[in-house]
Amino acid sequence: MLGEGRGGLNDRKAIMSLSPDESSFDSSQFRGVHWSRLGDNFTFDRLVLQGLSAEDTHATAKAEAGRMFEAFERTLGANTARLPVNPATATTDWWDTYTGVIDAGIERGFRIVLSYWGEDDTHGGGGRIPDLSTWNQMWDVVTSHYLSEPQVYFSLMNEPAYAVQEWVDMAAQWLVDRPSVPRNRVFIDGVHSEFAGPANDLRPLCEDERLDGTYLGMHLYGFHLPYRAQKEWISGLKTHLGDAGPRAVVEEFGARADTGIDFNDPAATDREASYLRAVTDTLRELNMGSIWCHVIGGRTTSPDHDELNILRLHSSTANFPLWMPNVSAVDRLKHAWVSSRAQPPC
C-alpha cells in the first residue's frame, strides 16, 4: 500500500533531527537546464538522453556528456542539470553507462538533480508509480551510489498525480526510509493547481513539518494556457509558492523557442512573451533558482527536437557545437539567474 513503508510515517524525529535551518537554503545556486530523452522521459525502457547512444559505455557516455555540460555552461551559464531516472536505468546494466553522464557533470562542477519520471504517460499515468517496491529499489540504488557526493540531489517524482495528502504521505515516508540522505539534497514536487497544472502548488508541502529541510519544486508553464497579463502570472506564482521561501526552486519552466517571438520586447502581446517575462522577472526579484525544461531532448514535436529547446544539436554527426533557435529566450533565462539585489533589472 502507498501509505505503508519501511519506517513508519510517525517517525518525525528522524526527519526533524536532520533538517537544516531555513537559513541554510539558497535556491539561487541552481541555475539549471533539463537534459532529456527525445520523446520525453516517460518510458519503461532505459533512458538514453538525446546526443547519446544506446551503444554507449561508461567511458563514451562520460566523454559525450562532458562536452554537453561544457556547452551548457559556456553557452548559457548553467551550473545545474536535472536528469531523469527510472528503474530500467538504475537497476540494470545501463546504470554503469548512465553514471558516466552523472559523473561527467560532477567533474564539471555541476549540481545534478536526479528525478524519477513515471514510466507510463498514457492518460496521465506518468504521474503515478506503477510498482512501489521497484521505485524504492531504484531509489536505494541511486541514493547509495551518490550518498557521499554533495553535488547530487534526489527529486522523488516528476509531477505526481496523487491526491494531496497521499503525495505528502508518500514523500514523508521516502524521507523516513532513508534517514542517511541529507534533507537539503532532496527535492519534492508540488501538487496540482487550477492556476497552472501539475506540480504548481507548494503550499501543502510547506504546511507539513515532516517535509521540513527539503527543497520544494514548482513547475510553471504558459504554452498550454490562454493569455494572461504579466501581473496575473506574477500574482499566481507568488501565491502558489506559499511560505517556501529559499527552499523553493522553479524546477520546470520554459517557452516555445521556435516561433520567432522576441521575448525581450516589453510590448510583445504573445501569451508566452507575457508568461516568460513575468516568470523571469519574478525569479530575479525573489533570487530564486530555476531550471529550463527541456534544453536538449524532451517531447517530440519534430524529428529531432522539442519546441521548448533553447539549444539544439546540429544534424551533423558531430552534434557540436550547439546552436540557439531564439537568442531572446536565452536572454530571459540569464536575466532570471541574476538577483535583482546584485544588479538593477535590465
Side-chain angles (χ1 to χ4, degrees):
M1 298 293 292
L2 291 177
E4 298 173 353
R6 296 170 289 174
L9 281 174
N10 295 321
D11 189 5
R12 296 191 180 188
K13 278 175 118 180
I15 295 176
M16 297 303 292
S17 65
L18 290 172
S19 300
D21 184 85
E22 187 178 86
S23 63
S24 69
F25 284 89
D26 176 15
S27 80
S28 68
Q29 67 183 305
F30 301 104
R31 301 188 299 276
V33 293
H34 281 248
W35 182 12
S36 298
R37 167 185 175 268
L38 189 61
D40 219 335
N41 302 316
F42 303 101
T43 178
F44 282 95
D45 201 357
R46 57 186 179 170
L47 291 157
V48 181
L49 306 183
Q50 187 179 20
L52 301 181
S53 165
E55 306 306 315
D56 273 324
T57 63
H58 180 96
T60 60
K62 186 175 181 180
E64 287 300 306
R67 299 172 72 195
M68 193 73 80
F69 288 119
E70 180 183 5
F72 296 162
E73 181 180 27
R74 174 174 38 81
T75 309
L76 303 175
N79 69 358
T80 300
R82 187 170 181 245
L83 306 178
V85 67
N86 65 11
T89 297
T91 63
T92 67
D93 292 344
W94 186 244
W95 181 236
D96 181 64
T97 296
Y98 204 68
T99 56
V101 178
I102 300 166
D103 294 348
I106 294 169
E107 289 186 8
R108 188 75 194 177
F110 270 62
R111 294 167 176 83
I112 303 296
V113 180
L114 298 175
S115 180
Y116 166 73
W117 251 259
E119 292 95 317
D120 182 8
D121 196 35
T122 305
H123 306 300
R128 301 186 71 85
I129 301 167
D131 184 89
L132 192 62
S133 62
T134 303
W135 179 71
N136 274 310
Q137 179 188 6
M138 174 202 73
W139 275 123
D140 288 344
V141 170
V142 173
T143 56
S144 63
H145 191 102
Y146 286 108
L147 184 63
S148 62
E149 180 45 71
Q151 291 170 229
V152 177
Y153 298 77
F154 312 108
S155 181
L156 274 54
M157 184 171 194
N158 177 71
E159 298 185 349
Y162 295 97
V164 173
Q165 192 59 52
E166 187 175 16
W167 171 237
V168 172
D169 287 347
M170 290 171 65
Q173 187 62 58
W174 192 100
L175 295 171
V176 169
D177 288 345
R178 296 165 184 84
S180 61
V181 176
R183 298 301 179 251
N184 61 356
R185 286 175 54 198
V186 175
F187 278 68
I188 302 175
D189 275 12
V191 299
H192 186 279
S193 82
E194 293 303 315
F195 175 72
N200 178 247
D201 194 351
L202 302 187
R203 291 172 295 181
L205 282 64
C206 298
E207 293 164 2
D208 196 308
E209 66 179 13
R210 295 174 300 166
L211 308 186
D212 285 357
T214 63
Y215 279 102
L216 305 180
M218 170 186 275
H219 294 198
L220 185 63
Y221 292 107
F223 62 83
H224 63 302
L225 297 171
Y227 175 85
R228 285 173 174 156
Q230 286 183 230
K231 64 180 180 180
E232 293 178 86
W233 280 112
I234 293 169
S235 175
L237 193 166
K238 290 182 176 180
T239 295
H240 289 84
L241 285 175
D243 297 325
R247 299 169 63 197
V249 177
V250 175
E251 193 185 44
E252 284 194 21
F253 81 110
R256 290 175 294 178
D258 55 2
T259 59
I261 298 170
D262 181 0
F263 293 107
N264 287 324
D265 181 2
T269 58
D270 183 272
R271 61 180 179 173
E272 288 195 82
S274 172
Y275 152 84
L276 191 59
R277 290 186 63 82
V279 173
T280 52
D281 280 352
T282 306
L283 291 169
R284 182 186 181 109
E285 174 196 344
L286 300 180
N287 198 29
M288 283 179 61
S290 58
I291 306 176
W292 185 284
C293 186
H294 306 262
V295 68
I296 295 290
R299 306 165 308 153
T300 306
T301 52
S302 82
D304 64 357
H305 72 274
D306 182 327
E307 60 189 346
L308 299 180
N309 292 161
I310 51 172
L311 296 180
R312 300 271 172 81
L313 294 170
H314 280 281
S315 57
S316 66
T317 55
N319 285 332
F320 288 89
L322 304 178
W323 61 280
M324 297 180 193
N326 188 321
V327 174
S328 70
V330 174
D331 288 344
R332 295 310 302 179
L333 179 60
K334 291 181 177 180
H335 174 76
W337 287 345
V338 179
S339 169
S340 60
R341 301 168 207 167
Q343 297 181 18
C346 60

